[in-house]
Amino acid sequence: MRILLIEDEKDLAAFITSLLKKAGMAIDTAHDGEQGIFLARTNNYGLIITDYILPKLDGRSLIQELRQEGKQMPILMLSARQGTIDKISVLDAGADDYLAKPFSSEELLARIRALSRRPHNIQSDVLTFKNLKLEPESFKLSKGNKNIKLTNKEFSLLQYLMINKGRIVSRETLLDHVWDDGLDSFSNTVETHILRLRRKIENKDEKIIHTIVGRGYCLDIRK
Ligand code: CA
């Protein structure tokens, strides 16, 4: 899952970034509200985490604008402010949840899991394709009755392909959804990860990830 974090406290932003990366998520960071709303409009995020008090555009206005534009992704608000009035005003503006600072890593991860389980978000559904079964909640992939160990990136990549089974997914789309902004899109990292993934899930008689030359990759549901 690709996440946008909008937080002007750089130490906290760095802490959350490393926490979420370890949990297998791709994360982009903005340090003020204007940069945040720009990224939220430009990219496809599975979740936005935003601070309340931000330079240039505050978290509440940012959420309101995104909702008015029809953006549906779950949004978690962070804030050092306490009290029910703020909480209600934030939820009214269109945030899905609210977490008061300071919070523990466990609590943040639990809130993220809960938000990604909501119906408008398919990121945590169990996915199947042929005899593959991928369980995002427990970070497990099995093929028949055999468990297969994947790296975080391989897991996210396969998850995205399984969500889109039957459709051709371009390299650019994969870069957009599975990788974060820090990556040079000319690098061969998509190809490298597809290759490693194939070695783990395919054998010589069975192709799972098909390459459609010039267009992308596909889990073909007809074969
Ligand atoms: Ca702040």
Side-chain angles (χ1 to χ4, degrees):
M1 173 158 72
R2 186 173 177 185
I3 292 182
L4 172 63
L5 171 67
I6 311 167
E7 171 59 76
D8 58 319
E9 286 167 51
K10 299 224 164 118
D11 288 350
L12 181 61
F15 168 76
I16 295 175
T17 302
S18 92
L19 178 73
L20 300 189
K21 281 194 170 169
K22 271 183 219 145
M25 298 160 197
I27 179 158
D28 293 339
T29 315
H31 296 297
D32 66 62
E34 271 177 16
Q35 192 198 3
I37 202 162
F38 171 77
L39 288 174
R41 285 172 175 147
T42 322
N43 300 307
N44 287 300
Y45 294 103
L47 174 77
I48 293 178
I49 302 170
T50 181
D51 191 21
Y52 190 123
I53 301 167
L54 287 166
K56 297 183 184 173
L57 180 69
D58 68 88
R60 188 177 187 281
S61 312
L62 180 142
I63 294 173
Q64 244 168 350
E65 284 191 34
L66 288 176
R67 293 306 190 217
Q68 273 160 12
E69 289 163 19
K71 296 261 188 241
Q72 301 279 313
M73 74 284 269
I75 301 179
L76 172 63
M77 173 71 93
L78 303 177
S79 179
R81 288 195 183 184
Q82 298 283 351
T84 46
I85 292 173
D86 276 332
K87 183 166 183 178
I88 289 163
S89 99
V90 160
L91 295 175
D92 277 350
D96 297 275
D97 201 1
Y98 180 96
L99 188 56
K101 296 176 189 173
F103 49 80
S104 69
S105 312
E106 291 72 26
E107 185 168 19
L108 178 64
L109 290 172
R111 299 290 179 105
I112 292 172
R113 278 196 299 273
L115 285 173
S116 58
R117 270 198 296 270
R118 296 205 174 163
H120 60 267
N121 198 309
I122 48 175
Q123 303 277 2
S124 53
D125 286 357
V126 171
L127 298 163
T128 57
F129 179 73
K130 294 186 175 175
N131 62 349
L132 289 176
K133 185 176 168 203
L134 183 134
E135 298 169 71
E137 290 279 299
S138 51
F139 197 70
K140 263 197 208 151
L141 175 73
S142 54
K143 186 175 183 184
N145 49 18
K146 191 177 137 224
N147 286 323
I148 299 174
K149 278 209 166 64
L150 297 181
T151 63
N152 288 340
K153 199 55 82 188
E154 290 161 355
F155 194 90
S156 303
L157 186 57
L158 183 60
Q159 182 181 17
Y160 193 79
L161 289 170
M162 287 175 84
I163 288 170
N164 291 287
K165 64 186 172 187
R167 286 182 226 144
I168 298 170
V169 179
S170 71
R171 186 176 174 280
E172 289 67 35
T173 304
L174 288 172
L175 282 170
D176 196 26
H177 286 267
V178 181
W179 274 267
D180 42 47
D181 266 353
L183 184 86
D184 171 9
S185 56
F186 295 102
S187 74
N188 65 355
T189 189
V190 175
E191 289 78 0
T192 309
H193 281 85
I194 292 272
L195 187 70
R196 288 196 201 131
L197 194 51
R198 278 182 172 144
R199 285 193 190 130
K200 291 185 181 180
I201 64 174
E202 296 182 352
N203 56 52
K204 64 178 172 39
D205 305 314
E206 183 192 28
K207 262 189 104 48
I208 292 176
I209 304 171
H210 294 263
T211 302
I212 317 295
V213 177
R215 297 191 58 199
Y217 303 97
C218 180
L219 301 187
D220 197 333
I221 44 181
R222 294 163 306 173
K223 284 171 191 165

